[in-house]
Amino acid sequence: KNYNDFVNKIMLKFIKKGPVLDFGSGFGEFCKFLNISGFQCHGLEVDSKAISQSKKNKIKTFTDLSEVDTLYPVITSLNVLEHIEEDEKIIKEITNVMQKDGLLILYVPASMKAWSQMDIDANHYRRYEKKEIIKKLENNNLKVVHCSFKDCAGWLILVIFRFLKIKPKFNKKLFILYDKLFFPYLKYIDLIGGKFIGKNIFVVAKLLK
């Protein structure tokens, strides 16, 4: 809960108008957050169970970018691109449904130094380096206006695990414990450490065409 609230709020800082399209919207939790915050948000998702739940929450949900029949001023995507092998191809397709000067706001896992068993279990193709994600966006006529690392403490934990050859796996109880007791305080490490390292990269890019 605390981690999701943290991510939602940093995304919201750059959203000034709607409608918003959330690429890889899952069960529609971020869409629901934006709708409550006063921004109309639509989703794009391929998982049938997630689509069904989103529709129950009255969230307009596309199943493919080819279905999108309007240009959006803002497109968001949280922890999705790392699951796509041809990620740069998808970035290009996303720009085709963006308004001129529209914003693409991404939140992706950072640094192959933090690669772990959890990435393998989650079917990740990569964790992004800062220069890598910037280059892929610039290759598709997007100008990066903000780029920063998030969750510095989480990155340090993953790197220590890798150094000690510990293969962490998803454990719901441990994640909840970390979220409740530690993350509300550890997030402030980002104020300094987030300039250099983090478990995730938060990037905002403007379409130039």
Side-chain angles (χ1 to χ4, degrees), residues 6 10 21 41 50 53 55 60-61 66 71 93 101 104 119 126 128 138 148 151 155-158 182 190 193 196-197:
F6 166 77
I10 63 173
L21 177 66
C41 185
Q53 184 60 48
K55 289 182 177 179
K60 182 178 179 180
T61 307
S66 62
L71 298 180
E93 291 179 6
D101 294 330
L104 176 59
D119 292 291
R126 68 194 72 80
Y128 286 90
E138 289 179 343
S148 59
D151 195 5
W155 182 88
L156 289 170
I157 291 169
L158 289 174
F182 300 104
D190 285 1
F196 310 102
I197 55 173

Side-chain angles (χ1 to χ4, degrees), residues 4-16 20 22 30 33-34 74-79 103-108 201-204:
N4 288 339
D5 287 346
F6 166 77
V7 175
N8 289 347
K9 287 176 181 177
I10 63 173
M11 300 283 283
L12 189 61
K13 285 182 180 179
F14 285 88
I15 299 174
K16 305 302 181 183
V20 177
D22 187 36
F30 185 63
F33 167 76
L34 286 185
V74 179
I75 295 181
T76 59
S77 187
L78 292 83
N79 294 315
L103 294 181
L104 176 59
I105 306 176
L106 302 175
Y107 194 83
V108 295
I201 295 174
F202 173 59
V203 58
V204 183

Side-chain angles (χ1 to χ4, degrees), residues 148-153 155-156 186-199:
S148 59
F149 291 105
K150 300 297 176 186
D151 195 5
C152 177
W155 182 88
L156 289 170
L186 292 176
K187 67 182 181 182
Y188 293 108
I189 298 176
D190 285 1
L191 295 175
I192 299 176
K195 295 179 181 180
F196 310 102
I197 55 173
K199 183 172 68 63

